[in-house]
Amino acid sequence: ITLFDGNITSGDATFTSATASFTSADIGKVITIIGAGGATIDLTTTILSINSATSVELATNASATVVDVNYTYGTDDTAAIQSAITAVGTTTNKFAQIFFPAGIYIVNGTFTAANNSQLGLPTVSRASGAAAPIYTIFFKGSAVNTNQTAGNFYGLGGSIIYSTRYGTNGTYSILSGIATHASNPGNCTQVKVVIEDLTFRTVQNPTNSAINLGTTLTAYMKNVLVDTAGISNTDMPQPTTSGTYGIIAPTNLNGATTLFENIKTRGFYNGIQLSEHGNLSKSLHFYHVNAIVINGLSTSHSKYLSHVTVERCQKVLNFIGGPSYVNIQGLEIEHNGTDG
C-alpha cells in the first residue's frame, strides 16, 4: 500500500497518516517513509505496534521530520520472488515466466555477495568453447505507465518491484547475475533475461543500481520503468553515488544483441549502460548525472540509439573503457547541464 500523507518527527517512532487503515495484521510489515532517514535519505523499518487506524509505532526512530510525504508498507516479498527465479534454473524446458499481477512487491532482503544483489539470477556456466544450455527467464508484469508527466511521476499502476534498502557504494543491485565477468564465456551466466511491463523502484538517491545484466548472455526489455522514490522531479536530489545505474546491459555478447524499447530511467547517477550490439529505442532518461554510458569493451561493435530523449542530466553520453562506435538515428536533448 502506498499513501501520500505520512508524518513523523525526528527522534520519534510515532508515525501518523490520516488516510491510513492500520490493523494488527500490519505489525511486523516493512514500511518505507520518504525523507525520514535524513537529508535525501528514506527510512525503512518495520511496524512495531498499532496505536489506532491512523497511527503506529515504528521499530526505528526517524532521523528527520517529514510532513505529508508518500510512504509504502507491506509484506517483504524477497524470498518468494527469489524462490521463483531460482526455480527457472531447474526447469527441463529451460524457459519459464514469472508473472507479477498488478500491485507493489516490496523487496527488503539483504544484498548477497554471490550476486551483489537482493535478487540473484540463476547461474548456468560453461567452459570456453563448450556447448551449454541457455535458460530464458521472463519477468512479466501486468502493465506499466512509462509516460508520467514531470509533476506527477510517481506512478502506482501496474506491477512494481520496490527495493526499500540502500546498498553499498554502487556495487549492489536489486537484480543481478553472477558478480564476475570476463570475455571468457565461462564467467558469464548462460541466461537470457526478458523483462516486460514492469516497474523497478529504489529508494531516493540510491547507493545501489536497479538492474545489472552485465554478466548475462543477452537481454530484451520493453515497457520498463526504472525509477527512484519521490512524487515529482522537484523533490529529487542530485544523485551522488557514482556507481549506481538504472540498467546495465549485457557486457560481452559475442554476436548477440540486446534490445531495449520504451524504457524510462530516472534518478540514478547513470541512467543506462550499453555495450556491444546494444540497441536502445523510444526511451527517456532523466535526472541522472550521466544519461547514457557507452562501454567501449569491444570497440569494433556498434551501439545503436533511435528516438531517445535525455532530459535534465549533466552529461548525455559518457564513454568508458575506451573508444566505441555509436550509431545515432535520433537523440533529443532537453534542459541538460547545470539544472540537471
Side-chain angles (χ1 to χ4, degrees), residues 2-6 32-34 68-72 154 229-231:
T2 290
L3 296 171
F4 299 91
D5 59 352
T32 297
I33 306 162
I34 301 300
D68 288 340
V69 297
N70 60 309
Y71 67 98
T72 301
Y154 199 79
I231 299 175

Side-chain angles (χ1 to χ4, degrees), residues 242-318:
S242 61
T244 64
Y245 286 83
I247 301 170
I248 299 176
T251 303
N252 195 326
L253 295 166
N254 296 319
T257 58
T258 55
L259 303 175
F260 299 91
E261 181 180 354
N262 196 23
I263 307 297
K264 192 169 186 177
T265 63
R266 182 188 76 145
F268 295 85
Y269 198 93
N270 306 284
I272 184 170
Q273 181 187 129
L274 293 179
S275 297
E276 60 177 2
H277 306 300
N279 187 321
L280 178 66
S281 66
K282 303 174 185 175
S283 299
L284 170 62
H285 307 274
F286 71 137
Y287 267 85
H288 307 293
V289 174
N290 304 307
I292 302 169
V293 176
I294 303 297
N295 190 335
L297 175 67
S298 298
T299 60
S300 60
H301 302 297
S302 184
K303 295 81 182 169
Y304 184 77
L305 306 178
S306 173
H307 307 293
V308 176
T309 297
V310 172
E311 186 170 352
R312 298 188 183 278
C313 299
Q314 290 186 15
K315 296 179 181 178
V316 178
L317 293 173
N318 189 42

